């Protein structure tokens, strides 16, 4: 009897251990597939993905997948109910996408890393739990930053997840029926600031070239050769912003300027100058990171599109065609997503077109499609239009004379752009003579009722006290 009891006890002990490790009859592969289907962090680790590919601590399975999955678990209680539901969906989406890779024998560690990191923006966008990212980011901004911030970094790639989250969330701004649209705009601005802070704090290095007066002159003139100067002083390589995006776009714009109308050619000059002048402070910095230049470049580009009135540019059919003809030179998905975010929110115009771009990072393809043009006009706009103003989304349009609140219908981003008459235009020309401090800081001077995607600084612009310098970041 004692022998039987001891045998039963032994079976129970062994069974208990096996139960903890999974189903008694499961093979290792079946267990890992189950982890992948349920979003279990163990899928990335030594029992599964890492065991098969042996990419070491800096590889994707342990260095990124498991590390960020563990951070989700650590910060899980910081999310509200909607945030938790969305996070649960994201975890499952990320691991499910990697199950075919786990079963495959044809992947190397570098390919695994590329595929694994590319799944993040897809899953951020596809996860619908809690109402999706457009709802979750409004009340879970800090928790999201805590999870995908770069603490315990494995290198510059650690910031890409937060950058991808940012771009996906920015696309929420195209949802006109979203009552809290202004909160999404504010949240994405805060995330962008966090991204810049991270890339300022981490991965710093000293310059490899001296500051040249000729290079400063090129920046102020909007000369595309300035990007050679920037790359020489801060060499970041062909996969980063300067060589991958900024310089090719600048050169293509200058080369193809005749394709634009005369007004469009003026826009080309304004935009290229805005870009090079805004990046001049980064060129002159004494300590910087390539990741910072990369993210500042996108922030600057976004702001320059707005400050040079790209919404007005593409209302002309010829300029609309020329812009997209030129922009095709840029392959970066983030460029097209951010640009389409601005364009989808431009005011309706007669007889024109509006484009949105869908990007599949897995297939590395871009699909340009006609987008729905939304007419936001309202009877409440008469308070603005009766005095010669125009109601528009102030976060994607710069208004020379400034904005007034409570004179337009629709969401809280629609404000009244006051008419800029001949006296106003004359003042702008006079005031701009005192803008050198702002230009040297890489900023743009404007009436502070305009939205600034960076931050306003005082005593750097000509004109009245309300005219301030908007500095990216």
């Amino acid at each position: 009897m004692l022998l039987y009891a001891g045998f039963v006890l032994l079976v129970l002990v062994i069974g208990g251990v096996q139960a903890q490790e999974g189903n008694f009859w499961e093979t290792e592969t079946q267990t890992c597939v189950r982890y992948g289907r349920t979003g279990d962090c163990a899928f990335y680790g030594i029992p599964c993905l890492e065991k098969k590919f042996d990419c070491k601590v800096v590889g994707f399975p342990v260095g990124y997948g498991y590390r960020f999955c563990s951070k989700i678990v650590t910060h899980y209680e910081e999310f509200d109910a909607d945030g938790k539901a969305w996070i649960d969906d994201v975890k499952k989406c990320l691991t499910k996408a990697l199950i075919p890779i786990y079963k495959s024998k044809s992947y190397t560690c570098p390919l695994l890393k590329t595929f694994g990191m590319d799944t993040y923006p897809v899953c951020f966008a596809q996860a619908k739990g809690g109402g999706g990212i457009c709802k979750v980011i409004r009340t879970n901004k800090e928790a999201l930053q805590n999870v995908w911030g770069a603490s315990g970094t494995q290198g510059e790639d650690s910031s890409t997840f937060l950058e991808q989250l940012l771009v996906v969330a920015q696309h929420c701004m195209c949802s006109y029926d979203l009552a809290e649209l202004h909160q999404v705009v504010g949240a994405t601005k805060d995330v962008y600031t966090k991204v810049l802070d991270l890339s300022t704090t981490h991965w710093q290095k000293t310059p490899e070239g001296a500051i040249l007066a000729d290079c400063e002159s090129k920046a102020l003139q909007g000369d595309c050769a300035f990007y050679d100067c920037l790359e020489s002083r801060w060499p970041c390589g062909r996969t980063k912003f300067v060589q991958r995006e900024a310089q090719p776009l600048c050169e293509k714009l200058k080369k193809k300027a005749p394709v634009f109308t005369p007004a469009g050619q003026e826009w080309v000059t304004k935009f290229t100058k805005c870009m090079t002048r805004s990046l001049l402070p980064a060129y002159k910095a004494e300590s910087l990171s390539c990741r910072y230049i990369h993210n500042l470049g996108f922030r600057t580009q976004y702001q320059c599109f707005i400050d040079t009135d790209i919404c007005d540019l593409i209302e002309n059919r010829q300029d609309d065609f020329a812009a997209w003809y030129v922009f095709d030179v840029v392959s970066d998905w983030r460029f097209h997503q951010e640009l389409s975010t601005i364009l989808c929110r431009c005011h309706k115009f007669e007889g024109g077109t509006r484009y949105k771009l869908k990007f599949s990072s897995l297939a590395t393809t871009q699909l340009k499609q006609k987008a729905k043009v939304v007419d936001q006009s309202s009877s409440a706009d008469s308070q603005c239009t009766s005095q010669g103003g125009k109601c528009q989304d102030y976060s994607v349009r710069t208004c020379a004379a400034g904005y007034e609140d409570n004179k337009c219908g629709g969401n809280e981003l629609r404000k009244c752009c006051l008419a800029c008459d001949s006296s106003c235009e004359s003042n702008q020309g006079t005031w701009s003579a005192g803008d050198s401090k702002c230009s040297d800081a890489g900023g743009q001077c404007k009436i502070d009722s305009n939205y600034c995607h960076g931050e306003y600084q005082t005593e750097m612009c000509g004109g009245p006290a309300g005219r301030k310098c908007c500095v990216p970041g």
Side-chain angles (χ1 to χ4, degrees), residues 124-136:
F124 288 153
Q126 290 181 352
K128 302 304 180 184
I133 185 61
C134 297
K135 185 176 181 181
V136 169

Side-chain angles (χ1 to χ4, degrees), residues 375-406:
D375 183 358
Q376 298 183 81
S377 59
S378 164
S379 58
D381 294 353
S382 60
Q383 298 180 73
C384 173
T385 55
S386 63
Q387 63 183 71
K390 182 179 180 181
C391 290
Q392 57 193 30
D393 185 334
Y394 89 117
S395 67
V396 292
R397 280 180 174 267
T398 298
C399 182
Y403 285 97
E404 284 191 357
D405 295 333
N406 304 317

Side-chain angles (χ1 to χ4, degrees), residues 115-128:
F115 186 93
M117 298 184 81
D118 283 348
T119 60
Y120 281 83
V122 176
C123 290
F124 288 153
Q126 290 181 352
K128 302 304 180 184

Side-chain angles (χ1 to χ4, degrees), residues 162-190:
L162 198 57
E163 294 162 23
Q164 291 165 339
L165 177 71
L166 168 71
V167 177
V168 172
Q170 278 183 313
H171 215 57
C172 299
M173 299 177 198
C174 296
S175 303
Y176 287 98
D177 56 344
L178 189 62
E180 299 83 2
L181 191 59
H182 62 290
Q183 293 179 6
V184 175
V185 172
T188 54
K189 177 182 175 180
D190 291 342

Side-chain angles (χ1 to χ4, degrees), residues 124-276:
F124 288 153
Q126 290 181 352
K128 302 304 180 184
I133 185 61
C134 297
K135 185 176 181 181
V136 169
I137 194 171
R138 300 199 306 271
T139 54
N140 293 270
K141 178 186 62 184
E142 288 79 10
L144 290 168
Q145 291 175 164
N146 288 339
V147 170
W148 281 290
S151 60
T153 61
Q154 295 291 320
E156 292 188 25
D157 287 332
S158 293
S159 70
T160 60
F161 304 118
L162 198 57
E163 294 162 23
Q164 291 165 339
L165 177 71
L166 168 71
V167 177
V168 172
Q170 278 183 313
H171 215 57
C172 299
M173 299 177 198
C174 296
S175 303
Y176 287 98
D177 56 344
L178 189 62
E180 299 83 2
L181 191 59
H182 62 290
Q183 293 179 6
V184 175
V185 172
T188 54
K189 177 182 175 180
D190 291 342
V191 173
Y192 223 132
T193 300
K194 178 70 172 180
V195 165
L196 285 170
D197 286 345
L198 288 172
S199 49
T200 301
T201 304
H202 300 286
W203 319 298
Q204 295 286 327
K205 64 178 184 178
T206 55
E208 296 186 18
I211 296 174
L212 304 177
D214 182 50
C215 287
E216 293 189 65
S217 176
K218 289 175 180 177
L220 295 175
Q221 295 168 10
D223 189 331
C224 300
F226 165 73
Y227 293 109
D228 289 323
C229 298
L230 185 57
E231 182 64 19
S232 294
R233 182 165 165 81
W234 301 103
C236 296
R238 300 198 62 82
T239 61
K240 296 298 188 290
F241 179 81
V242 172
Q243 289 192 316
R244 176 184 171 91
E245 179 163 345
Q247 189 166 28
L249 179 57
C250 181
E251 291 173 348
K252 187 78 175 286
L253 279 169
K254 292 290 184 73
K255 182 178 180 180
K256 299 297 183 182
V259 180
F260 291 82
T261 66
Q265 291 171 31
E266 291 181 15
W267 176 85
V268 168
T269 300
K270 288 194 297 181
F271 177 76
T272 51
K273 278 187 177 181
C274 180
M275 285 295 301
T276 54

Side-chain angles (χ1 to χ4, degrees), residues 4 14 32 48-49 52 59 68 144-145 151-152 177 183 226 229 264 270 314 316 343 347 369 382 398-399 433 456:
Y4 176 78
I14 293 174
C32 289
C48 302
L49 211 57
K52 179 164 185 174
F68 283 98
L144 290 168
Q145 291 175 164
S151 60
D177 56 344
Q183 293 179 6
F226 165 73
C229 298
K270 288 194 297 181
I314 64 169
N316 177 280
L343 298 185
H347 196 275
Q369 301 176 328
S382 60
T398 298
C399 182
Y456 276 118

